[in-house]
Amino acid sequence: MENIMKKSVALLLTLCLSVGLVGLAAASDTAPPPEAADRTTADGSKPLVVGTEALSQKFNPFFADTAYDMEIMDLVFGAFVDVDRQGNPILNGTGGEVRPYNGKDYTYYGQSDLAINFDKTANITTYTVKLRDDIKFSDGTPMTADDVVFTYYVLLDPAYVGSTTTSSYDIVGLKDYRTQTTGDIYAKYEAIAGAILSAGRDHAWAEGDTWTQAQQDAFWALADTRWAAACRAIVDYVLANYLNDEYAATIGVTAAEISASEGLQIAYGMAMWGFGEVGEGATVFTAKDGKTFDFAKGEYPTIQDYYDATFAAYGGDGEAFAATEHPDQDAGFVNGVARDEFIRAQAADEPELAGGIKNIAGIKKLDDRTVEITMNGFSAPAVYSVFGVQIAPKDYYGDGAYDYDANNFGHPFGDLSVVQAKTSAPMGAGPYKFVKYENKVAYLEANEQYYLGAPKIKYVQYKETLIADMVPGLASGAADVANPAFNKTTAESIKAYNANGQITGDAIQTSLVDNLGYGYIGLNADTVRVGSDSASKESKYLRTGLAIILTAQREVAINSYYGEAASIINYPISNTSWAAPQKTDPDYKTAFSTKLDGSPVYTAEMDEPAKAAAALAAAVEYFKAAGYTLDEASGKFTAAPDGAKLEYEVIIPGGGAGDHPSFGVLTEAKNVLATIGITLIINDPSDSNVLWDRLDAGTQELWCAAWQATPDPDMYQTYHSSGIVGRGGSDSNHYHIDDADLDQLIVDARVSDDPAYRKAVYKSALDKIIDWAVEIPVYQRQNCIIFSSGRINLDTLTQDITTFYKWYKEIEQLEMK
């Protein structure tokens, strides 16, 4: 089964969570297909049942983070500005826009019209978006410009930590609003904060300092607050991922006792992270700094005690603490956040900022249906990332105090709790309204207010389904639509159910389109490194050594799993993108095919055994350069350099059964690495949320996944350093790649509309990612959607489904037989 992880408007990352297709039973097999559920509702309607992989149940347009949840959000909300079958934005949606595709003219409708004007002299781009006059939310409330403004103020609030990257665009006045200061004042206090930080915690303030004693005290008090918050976050992470009786016994209690006691929870978190222990058979907990707490006397550590123990261990070095003990927050979490909070607090006392920055100057409501957004400069991906959002009703998601003229935008500045609370019952203006989630089924009902008319199918059910059950489920009547991974086994199973022996026939119709995405193996730069510098040449050598071995196993494994339904790729970008390097390009290279001395690993005359030997030899040289100790006699590494290991874990979501395209890559790489003394532990959990949680926490080492993107190849969300988990950005830079040059390349590629220039810049960015060795590109596959030929009126199905135009885009016209 393919695992695909996170989503956003800029880059959709889907998480696939269940067992895949190995051993899938065909119609003639002894294993019976799933039984059909009761397919008739109380009013006699036939629901459309969609077999889906596990839902994360974050049914919120701002915070949903798997593609399965987001598909439901698409049906509940629709897109503010959508795209056509070729991935081009629909700019005149209110009246309909006719565009040709595949020899036919198609009319596209949408929620709005979008006009774009770039003033080269002023270097300002103005976007004017106008809502259609007949659009309503499912409760009958008209969608207005105020709902649009509310939505943007959620996405642009400094407390927003979803994966959408709208805040990364240079909207006029946005930085002033988010920092609550002007550029000059921000720079003033940024310099003061930097000077205090450089002086250090132990600095004794003196008259010659450029800051006051009060400012110094305020800064370190904020840093201490953030440090204590990090300790609390570690405790919460431990409780969420490692609470069981076996581990609880290490402090002499049970998991149930820990769950019932705040003090025991903190003690447990400290013990699991090595900052305290209970002696065997004893009840006294001893913290790493020497403090003792007798559980028998009701004495328990507090978060302050946890803070004290970590502070003593790290000598007050907040960056070292955050990077080592709480890697998802990365270096700068403690002092970096304290700096930002310090700047805001200090700037608030400036007379010219009395009352703060009330609004974002570049977002204006022109009338009840029109909003204008102005940006400094030009950015090619903005039309997708800024306007491909989902508009949420302010009266439902807000705090009830929205007042545009009074600069009240539906939630307190810096507090989105009221928005986050609406996670289980979304409401939007799409073709369907959300009813409930129950027993692993999401129930939807036709939206009678939908601007294109109420859907002909009244009910839709998204039913969590094992991948292995999707094809037989359609054949049995348990589902009508599904999206299984398409490989040899899937194809043969579909053919077995169709009388004509083809993948489209009397039982099942199959739609295949190129996937705007690709499969990869990721390496976390902050957990796979030498020493404490993820960017050092030694850290890159370590990761490159692993990458060479893994890359060398791709072809056999992927061909075995997919056959002709997938191909090997050599750059971390989908081959469907116009920016993807082509084999005919003069500087095109096979991924990780360069030796330490710069010469090629492989030569044209090498056969497969020779290539395998060459890859191993090249990897050994990289490991040696990274600082690993090689026993020449045995040919095995016997010691790792400081910060590195002889053993690494890779998480692959194969449903506990090894059912994943890259599983064969890992098993063979494990065997090869073992010959040189390095152990690769393959963790294939039955519950793929294990991977999801580890990625959220930033504690993974290696993992297997796949990206799914939008038409523009913007890399900001996934590779810009602001997207590293815990930095307040997209939280989608799971690689923890932090490279100023790469950041600049990503920004440079945004500000041009010249495809040739952008492609060249993206090529440089791709080379930089390969240099860091944090991502191994593996395969490009096809998407497979299957439909029940017997229960769906296929004449009413969306025609010419493409990579960009999904099967449900015209779902209001779909009919059951």
Side-chain angles (χ1 to χ4, degrees):
M1 176 207 66
E2 173 179 357
N3 179 54
I4 325 176
M5 295 165 358
K6 264 197 173 175
K7 148 278 164 196
S8 85
V9 172
L11 188 65
L12 184 63
L13 183 59
T14 319
L15 183 64
C16 301
L17 303 173
S18 52
V19 178
L21 292 157
V22 172
L24 189 62
S28 59
D29 291 339
T30 56
E35 293 184 4
D38 182 2
R39 298 299 308 276
T40 305
T41 61
D43 63 0
S45 300
K46 291 182 180 179
L48 178 73
V49 179
V50 181
T52 181
E53 294 194 52
L55 300 168
S56 70
Q57 301 170 51
K58 293 182 182 178
F59 301 123
N60 185 302
F62 301 108
F63 301 104
D65 53 17
T66 70
Y68 310 120
D69 287 12
M70 280 311 303
E71 184 167 312
I72 294 174
M73 294 303 93
D74 284 345
L75 295 181
V76 173
F77 289 88
F80 191 31
V81 174
D82 215 332
V83 297
D84 64 14
R85 285 170 170 81
Q86 292 179 296
N88 298 313
I90 300 166
L91 303 181
N92 300 289
T94 64
E97 190 166 351
V98 179
R99 293 180 182 175
Y101 179 81
N102 198 22
K104 301 178 184 177
D105 284 341
Y106 288 102
T107 303
Y108 299 90
Y109 296 95
Q111 297 180 356
S112 63
D113 294 338
L114 177 64
I116 306 171
N117 179 52
F118 175 53
D119 185 333
K120 291 185 178 180
T121 302
N123 196 31
I124 291 287
T125 304
T126 302
Y127 299 86
T128 306
V129 61
K130 188 179 186 70
L131 289 168
R132 59 186 310 122
D133 59 11
D134 57 350
I135 187 167
K136 296 180 180 180
F137 295 109
S138 59
D139 66 349
T141 304
M143 181 188 292
T144 70
D146 287 314
D147 299 299
V148 176
V149 171
F150 164 76
T151 296
Y152 281 112
Y153 271 87
V154 171
L155 295 171
L156 299 173
D157 191 272
Y160 178 72
V161 292
S163 54
T164 302
T165 59
T166 311
S167 63
S168 68
Y169 291 86
D170 194 7
I171 298 173
V172 173
L174 176 58
K175 182 178 181 180
D176 290 356
Y177 177 75
R178 287 171 61 89
T179 61
Q180 285 298 291
T181 180
T182 62
D184 291 344
I185 293 175
Y186 184 91
K188 170 185 172 182
Y189 288 109
E190 183 180 37
I192 291 175
I196 294 172
L197 184 57
S198 296
R201 279 182 176 272
D202 297 330
H203 175 75
W205 183 82
E207 289 293 338
D209 289 337
T210 58
W211 62 90
T212 67
Q213 178 74 59
Q215 287 174 328
Q216 180 172 301
D217 293 344
F219 179 89
W220 292 116
L222 287 168
D224 289 343
T225 298
R226 298 310 307 172
W227 193 320
C231 290
R232 176 74 255 182
I234 294 171
V235 171
D236 292 341
Y237 174 74
V238 169
L239 294 173
N241 294 279
Y242 300 109
L243 181 56
N244 57 55
D245 285 331
E246 179 184 354
Y247 290 157
T250 61
I251 61 170
V253 296
T254 65
E257 289 174 310
I258 291 174
S259 296
S261 168
E262 170 75 8
L264 284 176
Q265 290 172 16
I266 295 170
Y268 185 62
M270 293 175 70
M272 289 294 288
W273 243 238
F275 287 95
E277 62 181 0
V278 172
E280 186 174 352
T283 62
V284 177
F285 178 84
T286 303
K288 195 170 185 177
D289 61 351
K291 291 181 184 177
T292 59
F293 307 88
D294 191 340
F295 295 166
K297 295 180 180 179
E299 299 171 356
Y300 304 102
T302 64
I303 287 297
Q304 182 64 43
D305 294 316
Y306 196 170
Y307 163 82
D308 291 342
T310 57
F311 188 92
Y314 282 92
D317 188 340
E319 278 90 346
F321 159 74
T324 305
E325 304 299 340
H326 205 276
D328 59 311
Q329 304 300 350
D330 205 23
F333 168 72
V334 172
N335 295 339
V337 175
R339 178 202 62 199
D340 294 343
E341 293 176 343
F342 172 83
I343 293 170
R344 284 199 295 268
Q346 295 293 315
D349 294 332
E350 291 283 340
E352 65 186 271
L353 295 178
I357 308 295
K358 296 294 188 181
N359 56 47
I360 302 169
I363 298 180
K364 296 179 180 179
K365 182 179 77 170
L366 302 185
D367 58 42
D368 287 345
R369 292 168 48 212
T370 310
V371 172
E372 179 184 270
I373 296 180
T374 54
M375 297 184 194
N376 294 307
F378 173 82
S379 179
V383 67
Y384 299 102
S385 301
V386 178
F387 298 96
V389 299
Q390 294 168 332
I391 304 302
K394 62 177 175 47
D395 293 335
Y396 182 74
Y397 283 93
D399 58 11
Y402 178 94
D403 186 332
Y404 178 83
D405 293 329
N407 291 310
N408 293 326
F409 298 108
H411 60 84
F413 177 84
D415 181 2
L416 296 178
S417 56
V418 65
V419 181
Q420 291 172 309
K422 297 288 177 61
T423 300
S424 60
M427 184 176 73
Y432 282 87
K433 56 186 179 181
F434 190 92
V435 178
K436 63 179 179 179
Y437 173 84
E438 185 176 87
N439 297 325
K440 297 187 177 182
V441 179
Y443 294 86
L444 309 182
E445 183 178 338
N447 176 13
E448 299 294 333
Q449 309 292 335
Y450 187 49
Y451 65 87
L452 292 178
K456 295 177 180 179
I457 299 175
K458 187 172 183 179
Y459 301 107
V460 173
Q461 298 173 8
Y462 272 78
K463 181 181 180 182
E464 294 185 20
T465 308
L466 294 177
I467 288 285
D469 288 340
M470 287 187 176
V471 175
L474 255 73
S476 70
D480 305 308
V481 182
N483 180 21
F486 189 70
N487 57 23
K488 293 178 179 178
T489 308
T490 307
E492 292 306 313
S493 179
I494 295 172
K495 291 176 182 179
Y497 285 114
N498 285 328
N500 62 3
Q502 302 300 314
I503 61 173
T504 288
D506 60 321
I508 297 173
Q509 173 165 306
T510 303
S511 170
L512 295 176
V513 296
D514 288 335
N515 183 47
L516 183 58
Y518 61 93
Y520 71 93
I521 299 172
L523 297 90
N524 182 345
D526 286 341
T527 57
V528 184
R529 66 184 178 186
V530 175
S532 59
D533 184 1
S534 304
S536 70
K537 64 180 182 180
E538 291 80 9
S539 293
K540 292 178 180 178
Y541 290 160
L542 162 58
R543 295 192 295 269
T544 300
L546 293 170
I548 288 174
I549 297 298
L550 287 160
T551 301
Q553 321 307 323
R554 297 176 304 168
E555 188 135 5
V556 172
I558 299 307
N559 285 344
S560 174
Y561 190 90
Y562 277 119
E564 296 180 359
S567 58
I568 300 299
I569 59 172
N570 288 303
Y571 291 89
I573 187 172
S574 171
N575 275 350
T576 62
S577 173
W578 54 263
Q582 302 299 311
K583 291 183 178 180
T584 54
D585 294 343
D587 55 352
Y588 185 93
K589 284 185 178 181
T590 298
F592 302 104
S593 61
T594 303
K595 294 182 184 179
L596 187 64
D597 63 7
S599 63
V601 173
Y602 312 107
T603 59
E605 65 274 8
M606 286 182 178
D607 58 14
E608 291 306 315
K611 288 181 179 179
L616 181 59
V620 166
E621 293 304 311
Y622 275 103
F623 288 132
K624 288 165 62 177
Y628 279 74
T629 301
L630 181 68
D631 176 39
E632 298 290 348
S634 66
K636 293 187 177 183
F637 290 103
T638 57
D642 181 52
K645 303 189 300 181
L646 286 169
E647 178 180 285
Y648 283 101
E649 177 194 53
V650 56
I651 307 175
I652 183 167
D659 191 12
H660 189 285
S662 292
F663 195 81
V665 175
L666 301 187
T667 54
E668 188 56 33
K670 177 179 179 177
N671 295 334
V672 173
L673 287 167
T675 67
I676 57 173
I678 295 177
T679 301
L680 183 66
I681 300 171
I682 302 174
N683 180 0
D684 178 13
S686 58
D687 180 1
S688 296
N689 281 306
V690 170
L691 171 59
W692 181 247
D693 292 339
R694 291 280 294 277
L695 288 166
D696 279 348
T699 58
Q700 82 286 2
E701 293 176 340
L702 291 83
W703 73 100
C704 297
W707 287 110
Q708 187 174 357
T710 55
D712 191 274
D714 182 33
M715 296 180 173
Y716 194 95
Q717 178 192 357
T718 351
Y719 303 108
H720 194 278
S721 61
S722 66
I724 292 175
V725 175
R727 292 194 178 181
S730 69
D731 278 1
S732 293
N733 182 346
H734 298 296
Y735 313 104
H736 292 233
I737 184 170
D738 189 348
D739 189 299
D741 291 337
L742 176 61
D743 286 351
Q744 189 60 54
L745 288 168
I746 292 170
V747 172
D748 289 346
R750 279 183 158 191
V751 297
S752 172
D753 60 355
D754 180 354
Y757 168 79
R758 296 186 73 204
K759 182 173 181 177
V761 174
Y762 281 131
K763 176 59 167 59
S764 297
L766 293 169
D767 289 340
K768 181 74 69 173
I769 295 164
I770 293 291
D771 176 65
W772 269 72
V774 292
E775 183 177 355
I776 301 165
V778 181
Y779 62 88
Q780 171 82 53
R781 65 167 178 83
Q782 289 182 306
N783 276 333
C784 172
I785 307 293
I786 54 177
F787 306 92
S788 169
S789 302
R791 291 182 303 280
I792 295 176
N793 181 354
L794 297 176
D795 291 337
T796 63
L797 181 65
T798 301
Q799 301 299 299
D800 279 330
I801 298 168
T802 72
T803 300
F804 312 104
Y805 205 73
K806 309 300 183 183
W807 71 269
Y808 54 82
K809 283 298 185 180
E810 297 171 10
I811 196 171
E812 73 280 356
Q813 300 178 28
L814 190 63
E815 298 176 358
M816 303 294 289
K817 285 186 176 179

